[in-house]
C-alpha cells in the first residue's frame, strides 16, 4: 500500500458522493421517504383534511378484509390483467412474426402499429369513448350500416370490461411487438439456413425454431404486461368511472377515490400496500422463472 | 412461388389490419375538421370533407388549452433536462469512481425500480399538502426525478465506454468533473438522446401524479386538461371541439414520433413501457 492511497481513497469518496448527491437527494425525498411514509400511514387513521391522525395498528388491513369494494376492485384488477396481458402478448407476437422482414413496407406497418403507444391515456380514452359511443360512435355507425342495433358498450355490465380491454390493447400492443421483434433479431440466421436446406415447412420452422427461441422474450413480455395492466387506472376512470355497477373499478382507482375523494389516506395507503405486494410478487416470480431457465 | 404467395396473402391481411388500426384516429381527425352543422347530421365517414378549422380556432381563443400546452412544455422540458443531468452524474459515479459503499448504494438505488408510483402516490400527496406546494411546476416535476431507470441506463452506458478515452484526459491533469463534462458527456449522446426522448414522452403523457397534484385548471397539463374536458362536454355541442383537443394534444407527440421513431421504440423497449 503506498503512502498516498488513503488520500486517493478519500478523494474518490468525496468525488463519488458529490456526483451522486443531486440524484440521491431526490431519490431519498421523493421515493424512499414516501415509500416508508406510506407503510406508516397505512397503520393510521389518517385524514389530510383536518389533519387528523391516530395510530390504529393493523385495523385498516382488517377493514380491507371485510370491505366488499376492495374485493371487487381486486377481482376486477386481476381479471383485467389476466385477460389483457396474454392478449397483448399474443397480438404482439403475431404482429412481430408478420412484420419482421426488413423491407420498407413492413417498416411502415410496424410504425403504424407502434404509433398508438405514444398517445396519452386521455387522448386514447377520448378517442375510444367516442368510437364506442352508442349514438354517434364509429362502431355504432358501422353496425347501423349493416342493419344491426348499436350497443352501449360502456354502459353495459357485460360489455364494459371487454371494451376497456380492447381500448388498452390498441393503446399498448406496440410494446410487446417491439420486444418480440428485438427477440427475433437475436435468432442466428444460420439456424434458418439449415432448416431451409432441410426443406422444412413454414409451420415446422415456426414451431421448432422460432417459438422455442422466443421463450425468454415471451416470459419477459408476459411479466411486463402483467405488471403494467395491474396498474390500470386512466381507462376506467375516464371511460366508465368504474361503472356500470362497480364492474370496472380497479385497485388504483379505489386508491385514488379513497384518498382524494373520501380523504381517507390511511385506508388508501393500506390498499396501496396490497397493490405493491401483488406487483412485487409478479416480479419475483419472473426472477425465479428466468433463473430456472438460465440454469 | 408458393412461399411468395403466402407472404403476399399475409401482407394483404396486415395492411387491412393496419387500416382498421388507424381508423379511430383518422375518424377523430375527420370529426375535428367538420363544421358543427355537419356533425349534428352525421358522424359518418373518415374523409375530412367538408373541412373547417373553426374548432381549432375556438380551442386557441376561448379555452385554457394554450396555457395547458405551455404547462406541458415547461414540465416536459424541465423533467427531461433534470433527468439527463441527475442520471448522467450518478451514472458516471457508479460506473467510474471507486468510492466506498458503491455496491451497497447502487443496490439501494436499483431497489427503487420495484416501487410502483401507486405505492407512493398517497404519501407524496400528503407531503406536498404539508409543504403547501401542490399546483406548482415543482410538484409536477420533482417526484418524477426520483425514478432510478435513467441512472441504470447511464451507468450501463458509461461502463461500456473504453477507459483509454479518459486516461488521455487524466494525463492532462484534468479534474473529475472536467473529464465527465468534456469527455464522457459528448460521448454519451446516443444514450442521452434515447433517455431524453423517452423522458419527454413520459412527461408529456404523465397522468396519475399530475391529476392528483394539479387541481387548479391553470396548472393542468394538456393530458390532465383533456381528461377534465371529457366529462364536462355534452357530446353533441362540443364534439368537434373535443375531437380537436384530442388532435391538438397528440400532434406534438406524433411529430416527435415521426422524427425520432427509432429512438422512441428503442427507449420504450429498453425501459419496458410506461
Amino acid at each position: 500500500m503506498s503512502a498516498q492511497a488513503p488520500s486517493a481513497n478519500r478523494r474518490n469518496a468525496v468525488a463519488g458522493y458529490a456526483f451522486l448527491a443531486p440524484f440521491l437527494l431526490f431519490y431519498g425525498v421523493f421515493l424512499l421517504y414516501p415509500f416508508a411514509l406510506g407503510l406508516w400511514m397505512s397503520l393510521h387513521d389518517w385524514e389530510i383534511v383536518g389533519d387528523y391522525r391516530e395510530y390504529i395498528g393493523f385495523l385498516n388491513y382488517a377493514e380491507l378484509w371485510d370491505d366488499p369494494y376492495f374485493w371487487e376492485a381486486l377481482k376486477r384488477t386481476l381479471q383485467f390483467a389476466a385477460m389483457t396481458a396474454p392478449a397483448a402478448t399474443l397480438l404482439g407476437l403475431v404482429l412481430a412474426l408478420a412484420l419482421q422482414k426488413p423491407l420498407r413496407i413492413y417498416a411502415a406497418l410496424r410504425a403504424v402499429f407502434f404509433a398508438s403507444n405514444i398517445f396519452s391515456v386521455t387522448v386514447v380514452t377520448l378517442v375510444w369513448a367516442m368510437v364506442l359511443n352508442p349514438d354517434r360512435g364509429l362502431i355504432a355507425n358501422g353496425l347501423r350500416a349493416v342493419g344491426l342495433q348499436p350497443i352501449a358498450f360502456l354502459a353495459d355490465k357485460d360489455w364494459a370490461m371487454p371494451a376497456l380491454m380492447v381500448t388498452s390493447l390498441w393503446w399498448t400492443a406496440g410494446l410487446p411487438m417491439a420486444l418480440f421483434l428485438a427477440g427475433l433479431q437475436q435468432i442466428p440466421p444460420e439456424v434458418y439456413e439449415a432448416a431451409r436446406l432441410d426443406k422444412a415447412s413454414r409451420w415446422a420452422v415456426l414451431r421448432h425454431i422460432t417459438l422455442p427461441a422466443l421463450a425468454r422474450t415471451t416470459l419477459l413480455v408476459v411479466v411486463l404486461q402483467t405488471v403494467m395492466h395491474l396498474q390500470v387506472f386512466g381507462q376506467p376512470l375516464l371511460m366508465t368511472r368504474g361503472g356500470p355497477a362497480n364492474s370496472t373499478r380497479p385497485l388504483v382507482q379505489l386508491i385514488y377515490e379513497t384518498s382524494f375523494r373520501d380523504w381517507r389516506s390511511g385506508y388508501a395507503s393500506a390498499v396501496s400496500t396490497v397493490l405493491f405486494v401483488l406487483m412485487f410478487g409478479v416480479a419475483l416470480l419472473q426472477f425465479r422463472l428466468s433463473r430456472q431457465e438460465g440454469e | 412461388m408458393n412461399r411468395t404467395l403466402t407472404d403476399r396473402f399475409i401482407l394483404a391481411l396486415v395492411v387491412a389490419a393496419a387500416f382498421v388500426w388507424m381508423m379511430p384516429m383518422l375518424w377523430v381527425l375527420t370529426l375535428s375538421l367538420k363544421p358543427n352543422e355537419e356533425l349534428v347530421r352525421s358522424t359518418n365517414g373518415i374523409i375530412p370533407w367538408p373541412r373547417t378549422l373553426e374548432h381549432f380556432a375556438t380551442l386557441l381563443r376561448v379555452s385554457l388549452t394554450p396555457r395547458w400546452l405551455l404547462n406541458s412544455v415547461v414540465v416536459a422540458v424541465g423533467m427531461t433536462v433534470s433527468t439527463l443531468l441527475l442520471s448522467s452524474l450518478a451514472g458516471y459515479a457508479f460506473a467510474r469512481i471507486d468510492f466506498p459503499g458503491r455496491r451497497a448504494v447502487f443496490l439501494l438505488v436499483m431497489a427503487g425500480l420495484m416501487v410502483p408510483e401507486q405505492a407512493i402516490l398517497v404519501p407524496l400527496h400528503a407531503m406536498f399538502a404539508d409543504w403547501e406546494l401542490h399546483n406548482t411546476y415543482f410538484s409536477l416535476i420533482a417526484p418524477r426525478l426520483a425514478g432510478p431507470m435513467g441512472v441504470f441506463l447511464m451507468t450501463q452506458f458509461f461502463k461500456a465506454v473504453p477507459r483509454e478515452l479518459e486516461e488521455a484526459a487524466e494525463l492532462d491533469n484534468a479534474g473529475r468533473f472536467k473529464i465527465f463534462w468534456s469527455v464522457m458527456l459528448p460521448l454519451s449522446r446516443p444514450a442521452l438522446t434515447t433517455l431524453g426522448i423517452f423522458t419527454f414522452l413520459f412527461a408529456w403523457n404523465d397522468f396519475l401524479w399530475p391529476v392528483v397534484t394539479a387541481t387548479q385548471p391553470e396548472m393542468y397539463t394538456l393530458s390532465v386538461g383533456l381528461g377534465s374536458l371529457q366529462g364536462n362536454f355534452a357530446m353533441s355541442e362540443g364534439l368537434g371541439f373535443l375531437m380537436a383537443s384530442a388532435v391538438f394534444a397528440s400532434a406534438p407527440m406524433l411529430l416527435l414520433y415521426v422524427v425520432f421513431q427509432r429512438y422512441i421504440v428503442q427507449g420504450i423497449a429498453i425501459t419496458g413501457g410506461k
Side-chain angles (χ1 to χ4, degrees), chain B residues 115-134:
Chain B
V115 178
E117 56 170 337
Q118 295 84 5
I120 55 173
L121 184 70
V122 177
L124 267 182
H125 180 272
M127 286 160 61
F128 278 92
D130 268 354
W131 302 337
E132 297 185 1
L133 278 177
H134 280 300

Side-chain angles (χ1 to χ4, degrees), chain B residues 28-89:
Chain B
V28 163
L29 179 67
T30 307
L31 293 183
S32 75
L33 294 169
K34 274 189 180 183
N36 275 329
E37 316 81 77
E38 177 68 18
L39 282 174
V40 173
R41 255 178 287 134
S42 153
T43 54
N44 266 326
I46 56 162
I47 297 142
W49 195 266
R51 57 170 182 244
T52 167
L53 289 176
E54 61 174 293
H55 304 305
F56 290 91
T58 316
L59 194 79
L60 293 175
R61 240 190 5 252
V62 301
S63 77
L64 273 171
T65 311
R67 173 69 205 232
W68 297 341
L69 177 70
L70 172 77
N71 291 346
S72 276
V73 170
V74 171
V75 169
V77 170
M79 204 187 293
T80 305
V81 172
S82 316
T83 300
L84 290 182
L85 198 68
L86 295 177
S87 307
S88 49
L89 280 170

Side-chain angles (χ1 to χ4, degrees), chain A residues 9 11-20 22-24 26-39 41 46 48 51 53 91 95 98-99 101 105-107 109-123 125-133 135-139 141-142 169-175 178-179 182 196 199-202 205 224 228 231-234 237-239 241 252 255-256 259-260 263-266 268-269 272-273 275-276 279-280 283-284, chain B residues 2-4 6-7 10-11 14-15 17-18 20-25 27-28 31 39-46 86-94 97-102 105 108-131 138 142-143 145-148 151 176-177 180 201 204-205 207-208 211-212 222-224 226-228 230-231 235-236 239 242-243 245-246 249-250 253-254 257 261 264-265 268-274:
Chain A
N9 258 347
R11 265 216 314 271
N12 275 344
V14 171
Y17 286 103
F19 272 86
L20 275 175
F23 174 74
L24 285 185
F26 282 94
Y27 184 69
V29 175
F30 296 110
L31 201 139
L32 288 185
Y33 175 69
F35 183 63
L37 180 63
L39 295 177
M41 284 171 84
W46 189 303
I48 293 177
D51 232 357
R53 45 197 78 167
L91 184 58
L95 287 174
L99 299 173
K101 292 208 173 72
I105 170 121
Y106 292 98
L109 288 167
R110 289 197 294 267
V112 167
F113 286 105
F114 194 86
S116 40
N117 231 282
I118 62 156
F119 298 119
S120 72
V121 68
T122 41
V123 168
T125 52
L126 192 53
V127 168
W128 276 86
M130 198 52 216
V131 167
L132 297 165
N133 184 288
D135 298 324
R136 347 184 37 193
L138 186 63
I139 296 177
N141 287 348
L169 274 182
W170 183 83
W171 186 26
T172 59
L175 173 64
L179 291 172
R196 217 176 50 183
K199 293 203 161 45
S201 73
R202 199 182 266 268
V205 170
L224 282 177
M228 177 173 150
Q231 306 175 50
V232 59
F233 170 65
L237 180 83
L238 295 165
M239 292 174 78
R241 315 220 163 250
V252 180
I255 295 170
Y256 176 80
S259 188
F260 308 116
W263 299 111
R264 300 188 56 207
S265 302
S269 294
S272 304
T273 309
L275 180 68
F276 167 69
M279 289 166 63
F280 194 79
L284 218 59
Chain B
N2 199 1
R3 252 168 207 273
T4 52
T6 319
D7 276 344
I10 294 176
L11 181 60
V14 199
V15 169
V20 174
W21 198 265
M22 286 192 299
M23 278 262 272
M25 283 324 271
W27 181 63
V28 163
L31 293 183
L39 282 174
V40 173
R41 255 178 287 134
S42 153
T43 54
N44 266 326
I46 56 162
L86 295 177
S87 307
S88 49
L89 280 170
Y92 179 76
F94 282 133
I97 305 177
D98 187 22
F99 60 90
R102 174 163 74 164
V105 177
L108 178 72
V109 168
M110 286 307 119
L113 288 172
M114 300 300 298
V115 178
E117 56 170 337
Q118 295 84 5
I120 55 173
L121 184 70
V122 177
L124 267 182
H125 180 272
M127 286 160 61
F128 278 92
D130 268 354
W131 302 337
F138 180 75
L145 303 180
V151 177
R176 279 250 184 243
F177 189 77
F180 164 76
L201 192 74
W204 193 270
N205 290 339
F207 182 66
L208 181 56
V211 86
V212 167
L222 260 182
S223 177
V224 177
L226 202 58
S228 77
Q230 233 150 315
M235 273 298 181
S236 54
L239 183 59
L242 207 54
M243 294 300 117
S245 308
S250 39
M253 280 305 104
L254 265 182
Y257 178 64
Q261 198 205 334
I264 290 179
V265 176
I268 292 185
I270 291 171
T271 50
K274 296 154 209 318

Side-chain angles (χ1 to χ4, degrees), chain A residues 8-211:
Chain A
N9 258 347
R10 207 172 46 224
R11 265 216 314 271
N12 275 344
V14 171
Y17 286 103
F19 272 86
L20 275 175
F23 174 74
L24 285 185
L25 178 70
F26 282 94
Y27 184 69
V29 175
F30 296 110
L31 201 139
L32 288 185
Y33 175 69
F35 183 63
L37 180 63
L39 295 177
W40 181 238
M41 284 171 84
S42 77
L43 304 177
H44 287 74
D45 188 355
W46 189 303
E47 288 175 26
I48 293 177
V49 177
D51 232 357
Y52 179 78
R53 45 197 78 167
E54 183 197 343
Y55 182 83
I56 54 168
F58 287 89
L59 274 184
N60 279 327
Y61 294 94
E63 189 183 337
L64 268 188
W65 189 260
D66 295 323
D67 184 351
Y69 279 101
F70 165 72
W71 288 107
E72 184 71 17
L74 180 64
K75 187 178 122 193
R76 295 306 173 183
T77 309
L78 294 175
Q79 195 181 35
F80 183 83
M83 294 184 68
T84 313
T89 307
L90 191 67
L91 184 58
L93 178 64
V94 170
L95 287 174
L97 288 172
L99 299 173
Q100 59 174 318
K101 292 208 173 72
L103 301 174
R104 194 174 293 173
I105 170 121
Y106 292 98
L109 288 167
R110 289 197 294 267
V112 167
F113 286 105
F114 194 86
S116 40
N117 231 282
I118 62 156
F119 298 119
S120 72
V121 68
T122 41
V123 168
V124 171
T125 52
L126 192 53
V127 168
W128 276 86
M130 198 52 216
V131 167
L132 297 165
N133 184 288
D135 298 324
R136 347 184 37 193
L138 186 63
I139 296 177
N141 287 348
L143 287 175
R144 268 196 217 94
V146 293
L148 291 171
Q149 279 296 315
I151 302 166
F153 295 100
L154 296 175
D156 187 310
K157 222 169 161 292
D158 298 322
W159 282 106
M161 195 59 130
L164 292 185
M165 286 175 191
V166 170
T167 305
S168 309
L169 274 182
W170 183 83
W171 186 26
T172 59
L175 173 64
M177 178 188 76
L179 291 172
F180 277 119
L181 283 166
L184 282 169
Q185 283 191 339
Q186 277 162 14
I187 305 175
E190 301 88 62
V191 189
Y192 287 112
E193 198 56 39
R196 217 176 50 183
L197 290 177
D198 285 349
K199 293 203 161 45
S201 73
R202 199 182 266 268
W203 175 243
V205 170
L206 180 70
R207 242 193 93 183
H208 298 292
I209 299 178
T210 313
L211 290 184

Side-chain angles (χ1 to χ4, degrees), chain B residues 138-177:
Chain B
F138 180 75
S139 76
L140 283 164
I141 295 173
R144 297 315 206 188
L145 303 180
M149 185 48 92
V151 177
F152 175 70
L153 285 179
M154 293 316 292
T155 305
Q156 298 298 98
F157 179 82
F158 284 135
K159 271 191 175 157
V161 174
R163 287 254 180 202
E164 295 83 54
L165 292 163
E166 289 153 280
E167 277 160 11
E170 271 163 29
L171 286 180
D172 288 345
N173 240 340
R176 279 250 184 243
F177 189 77

